[in-house]
Amino acid sequence: MDILSIQQQAEKEIKGANDLKELNLVFEKYLGRKGEISKFFRSLKDLPLEQRKIQGKKANQVKEVLEKKIQEKRTILSKKPFQEIKRAELDVTQPGERINLGHLSILTYAKREVIDFFKSIGFEIIESPEVETEYYNFDALNIPDYHPARDSMDTFWLKNKEKSKDKFLLRTHTSPSQIRYMEKHKPPFRVITPGRVFRYEAIDASHEAQFYQVEGLAVSKDIGLANLRYVLENFLKYFFGREVNLRWRPGYFPFVEPGLEVDIECQVCQGKGCPTCKYAGFIELAGAGMVHPNVLKNGGINPYKWQGFAFGLGLDRLVMMRHNINDIRLFHSGDLRFMSQF
Ligand code: PHE
C-alpha cells in the first residue's frame, strides 16, 4: 500500500472507532510496532536513496497527522460515558451498589484503646524491636542462661548470618523494652510498650505462638504495689466498662520482686469453668511486680534511689474476655465470619 492510502484508510477507522478499546486497536494496526507505518518504513530499504528520502519524509508526516487525530479522538471518547449517563441511563432513584468496606482487626482497636487510657494518665507510648538479643530478652532481665525460668518461655532462636557475639531471637515478652528504655532515660518516668511477642509453644484455645502484650513500667522515688493495683484496676474498669472480678496472687518472675499474677474471672463461663479457662474459672491476664534491683542496675538506674512497678498484660486474652471469644486461634484465622463481627 502507498502511504496516502494508508493515511486515508487509517483516518476512516479513527473516525469510526466507537470507544477507547476500538481506538486502541486502530492505533496498534497503524502506529504500533508491527503496524502499517512501520511496515511501510521497512519496505523502503530497497529503494534508491533519493526515493527513500522523499517517501520517508512523507511517511513521517502521515505518522504525525495520525498521532494527532488519534489523540483528539481519544479525548472525545474518554468524555463519552459521562455524557451518555447524563443523557439517559442513570436512574437516581435506584439503590446503589453496596460497597463492602474492610476494617481493622479487633486487636488493633483494642490496642488503641489501651494506648488512649494510658496516655490519659501520663504514660508515654514506646516501641521496642521484635527481633531481640539474648541479652535484652533474658540476661539483662535477671534471667541468666542456667536459669530455669528460661524454660517457661520456649524461644524461637534465629540463625545468625554473620559471626556475632549476640544471639538473636524473637522476643518472648515485651519486658526487654524496660531495659532499652531505662538505658536511655532518667527517672521518674512511666511508659507502656504494646507489641507482638512469640513463643515456641503448643497451641490451644488459650495459647498461640504469637500474641500481643502491653508492657508497663513506672519508676519513681516512692512508688509501690498500691500504685500498680490502682492503675491496673482502673484500666480494666475502663476497658470493660464495668467492674470485673480480679484475683491477685503471688507469682514468680526473675525481673520483679515481689512478683504477682493477675487473673480475671473467665467471662466466657462467668467463672463456672470451661475449656477456655481450663475449668479454673479464672484466666491469667498479667504478670506484674516491683522491678528487681538487678534490673534497675542493668538499665543504669541506681536501685538505692529509685524503685518502680512493671506489668505485662496479655492483650489477646483481654479482648477474648471482653467479647466472649473462646478460642485465641480465631484472631489469626482470617475467617471473615469472625472478623466482621467487630
Ligand atoms: N514478661 C512477663 C511475661 O511475659 C510478664 C511480666 C511483665 C511480669 C512485667 C512481671 C513484670 O510473662
Side-chain angles (χ1 to χ4, degrees):
M1 245 198 296
D2 70 291
I3 191 68
L4 285 179
S5 327
I6 293 179
Q7 180 175 6
Q8 271 169 8
Q9 184 63 27
E11 283 180 3
K12 212 162 94 197
E13 287 181 32
I14 293 172
K15 235 190 204 156
N18 284 315
D19 55 33
L20 289 172
K21 215 165 136 199
E22 280 180 32
L23 187 66
N24 283 340
L25 289 178
V26 179
F27 177 89
E28 277 304 313
K29 182 168 168 197
Y30 292 96
L31 297 170
R33 216 154 38 88
K34 288 185 186 146
E36 293 297 333
I37 300 276
S38 298
K39 256 193 236 159
F40 182 80
F41 275 119
R42 253 175 277 132
S43 73
L44 298 181
K45 65 178 190 302
D46 303 323
L47 292 182
L49 186 62
E50 252 335 276
Q51 279 292 316
R52 212 157 56 194
K53 267 191 185 164
I54 296 169
Q55 292 292 330
K57 201 169 158 197
K58 261 199 206 152
N60 268 324
Q61 281 166 351
V62 168
K63 195 173 159 201
E64 262 174 48
V65 169
L66 291 182
E67 275 169 353
K68 206 168 139 225
K69 293 224 150 140
I70 286 192
Q71 193 45 48
E72 281 166 6
K73 181 80 179 190
R74 190 169 279 143
T75 316
I76 293 169
L77 286 180
S78 52
K79 284 190 192 138
K80 199 174 159 194
F82 301 106
Q83 286 165 353
E84 277 180 1
I85 284 172
K86 258 192 235 136
R87 241 185 289 123
E89 294 114 45
L90 184 66
D91 176 357
V92 292
T93 64
Q94 283 261 329
E97 217 172 276
R98 196 190 179 90
I99 297 172
N100 279 324
L101 280 183
H103 62 77
L104 297 171
S105 154
I106 180 64
L107 287 171
T108 308
Y109 288 130
K111 185 174 94 177
R112 291 181 180 179
E113 287 173 62
V114 177
I115 289 175
D116 283 348
F117 174 83
F118 282 98
K119 238 191 212 166
S120 77
I121 57 168
F123 278 64
E124 188 188 341
I125 320 300
I126 59 170
E127 285 192 19
S128 191
E130 290 179 354
V131 172
E132 262 302 356
T133 61
E134 181 180 27
Y135 173 75
Y136 284 105
N137 197 81
F138 292 122
D139 299 275
L141 288 165
N142 210 24
I143 323 175
D145 64 2
Y146 53 80
H147 201 290
R150 282 208 183 185
D151 296 341
S152 70
M153 293 187 179
D154 292 311
T155 308
F156 286 108
W157 292 95
L158 301 177
K159 278 195 188 130
N160 277 8
K161 270 206 182 131
E162 287 139 35
K163 275 221 154 57
S164 141
K165 57 181 185 331
D166 291 321
K167 271 170 84 184
F168 291 98
L169 50 82
L170 297 179
R171 66 175 173 196
T172 58
H173 52 174
T174 42
S175 300
S177 68
Q178 293 187 28
I179 305 290
R180 288 187 178 274
Y181 190 84
M182 287 191 277
E183 282 179 344
K184 297 213 173 96
H185 297 84
K186 292 206 168 354
F189 51 68
R190 42 187 193 268
V191 298
I192 59 163
T193 321
R196 194 172 10 200
V197 303
F198 307 85
R199 295 201 192 159
Y200 183 50
E201 234 174 345
I203 59 178
D204 62 31
S206 49
H207 294 85
E208 254 283 19
Q210 123 178 258
F211 53 100
Y212 288 84
Q213 284 190 336
V214 180
E215 190 79 9
L217 173 69
V219 176
S220 188
K221 284 253 152 88
D222 44 20
I223 193 169
L225 287 181
N227 304 97
L228 166 74
R229 185 163 177 185
Y230 180 83
V231 166
L232 279 185
E233 279 181 355
N234 274 287
F235 164 66
L236 292 171
K237 213 192 276 174
Y238 164 86
F239 191 80
F240 283 87
R242 60 186 161 87
E243 300 273 352
V244 281
N245 266 345
L246 298 176
R247 190 168 73 177
W248 301 73
R249 57 192 169 88
Y252 176 70
F253 303 94
F255 35 96
V256 285
E257 182 59 39
L260 305 166
E261 282 180 43
V262 189
D263 302 335
I264 180 173
E265 189 177 64
C266 181
Q267 305 290 305
V268 175
C269 61
Q270 303 304 325
K272 287 190 200 76
C274 67
T276 309
C277 60
K278 300 220 174 76
Y279 300 96
F282 278 82
I283 193 164
E284 191 189 332
L285 199 60
M290 294 301 290
V291 183
H292 195 288
N294 288 348
V295 172
L296 290 169
K297 228 184 285 169
N298 292 338
I301 290 174
N302 182 350
Y304 295 101
K305 272 189 165 163
W306 301 98
Q307 58 187 9
F309 67 71
F311 60 83
L313 262 174
L315 187 68
D316 308 63
R317 288 195 179 166
L318 211 54
V319 173
M320 288 170 74
M321 290 296 108
R322 190 174 70 177
H323 296 279
N324 261 305
I325 297 164
N326 61 11
D327 197 321
I328 194 172
R329 289 167 290 196
L330 284 165
F331 288 123
H332 299 292
S333 64
D335 188 335
L336 287 177
R337 289 170 306 178
F338 172 73
M339 303 302 287
S340 55
Q341 290 178 65
F342 304 104

